[in-house]
Amino acid sequence: MKRLGDAFEKAADSPEMAKFFETAGVEKKILRRKAFSDHVRQEYAELGELVKTLDLKKP
């Protein structure tokens, strides 16, 4: 996992990706394993609360 993460970070830092991010208007944000996992958990919890608040049901 570390090797894959390192490879992704190296690719994200390449000039080609920098140009892509700039052209697409996307902010580059690299999250390592723990930070990414924490981010996903937080998003899941927040979206779950939104679903409950809006009383959304599966079709």
Side-chain angles (χ1 to χ4, degrees):
M1 289 303 292
K2 182 181 180 330
R3 188 166 45 166
L4 181 60
D6 291 345
F8 180 76
E9 191 171 328
K10 181 179 178 182
D13 285 337
S14 72
E16 295 85 5
M17 286 303 293
K19 183 174 181 171
F20 170 79
F21 288 133
E22 183 180 335
T23 301
V26 176
E27 177 186 356
K28 182 180 90 169
K29 185 174 184 180
I30 304 295
L31 298 176
R32 297 301 248 165
R33 286 177 63 187
K34 171 114 173 62
F36 179 75
S37 180
D38 291 346
H39 174 74
V40 170
R41 280 190 187 92
Q42 180 182 351
E43 288 287 311
Y44 186 82
E46 289 174 6
L47 291 174
E49 287 300 316
L50 181 62
V51 167
K52 287 178 188 175
T53 300
L54 297 175
D55 194 30
L56 299 176
K57 307 274 188 230
K58 288 184 180 181

